[in-house]
Amino acid sequence: MIQAKGYAAQTPETDLAPWSFERREVGDHDVQFDIMFCGVCHSDLHQIKNDWFPGIFPMVPGHEIVGKVQKVGAHVKRYKVGDLVGVGCMVDSCRSCDECKEGLEQYCQAGSSQTYNGTEQDKKTPTYGGYSNTIIVNEDFVLRISDKLDLASVAPLLCAGITTYSPLRHWKVSKGHKLGVVGLGGLGHMAVKFGVSFGAEVTVLSTSESKEADAKKLGAHKFVVTKDKAQLKSVRGSFDFIIDTVSAKHDMNTYLGLLKTNGVMICVGVPSEPSPIAAFSIIVGRKSLAGSSIGGIRETQEMLDYCSDHNIVSDIEVIAMKDITQAYERMLKGDVKYRFVIDMATL
Ligand SMILES: [Zn+2]
Ligand SMILES: [Zn+2]
């Protein structure tokens, strides 16, 4: 086994703290890489606190992982020592179901292996994430990272980036469309960047008017303060698509009312509690309420290549590993523009 070190939550009640653990040896098809940066996703906090479902402890969070290849297995074809690589939310899947064959491993019928708080495909061996110094992953789930972009700023593309890129591509959001983005956090700011890049007219829908200047700086064409009834009314029935990135409790019916006839609202944020939907919210105007989860490996690579070609990265604040609990507190208050990224050299 390979000795690894990282930060783990021993129980849902305890803060993250240093922890040593073992990872598997580098197999024939595996890539081992030194983790240089790891993004801090809101779901990291949800999972260490058992907000969604009972987790597997000790838990080493982190699924926005970038670094440099240190070792490759005998049969690895695509990567060599020194390459820049990344790993997102999955490290394996069954590879034989219809979804896996289509490159939709995130919807694997047997359940894809989550990068942390999950198990390998043996359904026994726990997985540990990127708040650590090293990781071993099958080459099929390793992504190639361009050296043209700032590496720390690339890390959040592996979750926040693909989570917003994939649905915008699936629903072919492009020129001529009006896109509303609910929430301007880690996911929301990427949705704005991709929406603008794909040619849509992008409006940020936010409870806080203080974010207007930032939204415009990110490229948004319009800004609506959703607490202001008159502003909200002015955009009723106006959007072809709305991407809802909020992971705190909120009323989806309000946003469904902003869609045009045949409009689609796509949920990508995950509040801890279910949200009631009135049937009239979707019946009137034949609207669709949809969801989307990350993206498959092929599409994640496509997204990374698109970002490299179009100079798109996440806006980040780099932190030291020891400051993670403080970073979580700030993240809960929305006090980050727009993603914390841990410099793993500080581990
Ligand atoms: Zn995430
Ligand atoms: Zn599968």
Side-chain angles (χ1 to χ4, degrees):
M1 299 297 273
I2 289 170
Q3 282 301 315
K5 59 179 181 169
Y7 262 49
Q10 297 296 323
T11 73
E13 287 77 37
T14 51
D15 285 341
L16 292 176
W19 186 53
S20 292
F21 60 104
E22 290 184 331
R23 294 198 187 269
R24 69 167 183 263
E25 290 291 343
V26 180
D28 284 349
H29 300 276
D30 287 339
V31 171
Q32 178 182 17
F33 66 94
D34 289 325
I35 299 174
M36 295 162 73
F37 296 99
C38 184
V40 177
C41 179
H42 205 138
S43 68
D44 297 345
L45 185 55
H46 279 301
Q47 294 189 73
I48 59 169
K49 295 299 176 200
N50 271 355
D51 283 345
W52 293 340
F53 48 82
I56 301 167
F57 292 86
M59 191 188 302
V60 178
H63 58 204
E64 295 179 339
I65 310 169
V66 293
K68 201 173 264 189
V69 175
Q70 188 192 7
K71 194 173 176 184
V72 295
H75 299 309
V76 169
K77 291 192 181 74
R78 293 205 297 276
Y79 300 100
K80 59 180 192 313
V81 172
D83 285 351
L84 290 176
V85 293
V87 163
C89 303
M90 302 177 284
V91 289
D92 208 352
S93 70
C94 88
R95 299 157 185 251
S96 57
C97 72
D98 289 347
E99 282 80 357
C100 284
K101 283 183 195 155
E102 274 182 55
L104 297 169
E105 300 90 351
Q106 75 274 34
Y107 305 126
C108 171
Q109 286 174 27
S112 55
S113 295
Q114 302 303 291
T115 300
Y116 71 87
N117 194 22
T119 59
E120 299 288 352
Q121 286 297 301
D122 64 6
K123 308 292 176 192
K124 290 197 303 252
T125 312
T127 53
Y128 299 113
Y131 295 10
S132 60
N133 64 332
T134 188
I135 191 165
I136 294 102
V137 179
N138 184 289
E139 73 164 325
D140 294 338
F141 283 76
V142 174
L143 287 314
R144 184 169 296 284
I145 304 283
S146 156
D147 59 6
K148 280 196 252 168
L149 302 173
D150 174 61
L151 193 60
S153 309
V154 166
L157 298 178
L158 289 154
C159 172
I162 188 60
T163 299
T164 48
Y165 180 95
S166 180
L168 296 181
R169 282 304 199 206
H170 177 75
W171 275 280
K172 301 186 169 59
V173 175
S174 58
K175 200 167 164 54
H177 288 138
K178 290 188 176 175
L179 170 69
V181 176
V182 185
L184 195 62
L187 292 171
H189 95 290
M190 290 312 305
V192 170
K193 290 187 183 205
F194 286 131
V196 169
S197 182
F198 298 166
E201 182 190 287
V202 177
T203 301
V204 169
L205 302 159
S206 174
T207 52
S208 143
E209 55 202 356
S210 65
K211 290 189 174 175
E212 178 162 4
D214 291 328
K216 298 268 169 77
K217 220 183 286 171
L218 291 165
H221 304 96
K222 293 183 178 168
F223 187 86
V224 168
V225 182
T226 52
K227 278 181 184 157
D228 180 329
K229 288 215 170 87
Q231 283 196 35
L232 203 58
K233 203 174 162 199
S234 74
V235 289
R236 270 192 78 82
S238 71
F239 296 107
D240 299 281
F241 300 96
I242 291 177
I243 184 161
D244 179 358
T245 71
V246 175
S247 63
K249 195 178 169 187
H250 62 292
D251 183 11
M252 290 184 185
N253 300 286
T254 305
Y255 300 105
L256 287 164
L258 307 184
L259 289 172
K260 279 181 189 168
T261 294
N262 294 326
V264 182
M265 177 157 135
I266 306 147
C267 300
V268 293
V270 188
S272 310
E273 292 167 48
S275 181
I277 303 291
F280 273 128
S281 296
I282 48 175
I283 287 175
V284 178
R286 194 167 55 193
K287 293 164 184 174
S288 301
L289 178 61
S292 179
S293 174
I294 52 171
I297 294 298
R298 189 167 61 217
E299 192 177 45
T300 305
Q301 188 64 63
E302 175 195 302
M303 178 272 310
L304 288 166
D305 295 344
Y306 183 89
C307 288
S308 171
D309 291 345
H310 295 81
N311 200 25
I312 293 174
V313 288
S314 182
D315 290 18
I316 62 161
E317 187 176 327
V318 175
I319 59 163
M321 187 71 251
K322 67 175 174 45
D323 297 328
I324 185 64
T325 301
Q326 202 188 336
Y328 283 155
E329 285 164 11
R330 285 186 50 200
M331 185 172 69
L332 277 177
K333 288 189 241 158
D335 175 25
V336 51
K337 288 177 184 171
Y338 287 90
R339 205 58 146 183
F340 289 112
V341 172
I342 307 162
D343 178 354
M344 294 317 307
T346 64
L347 180 64

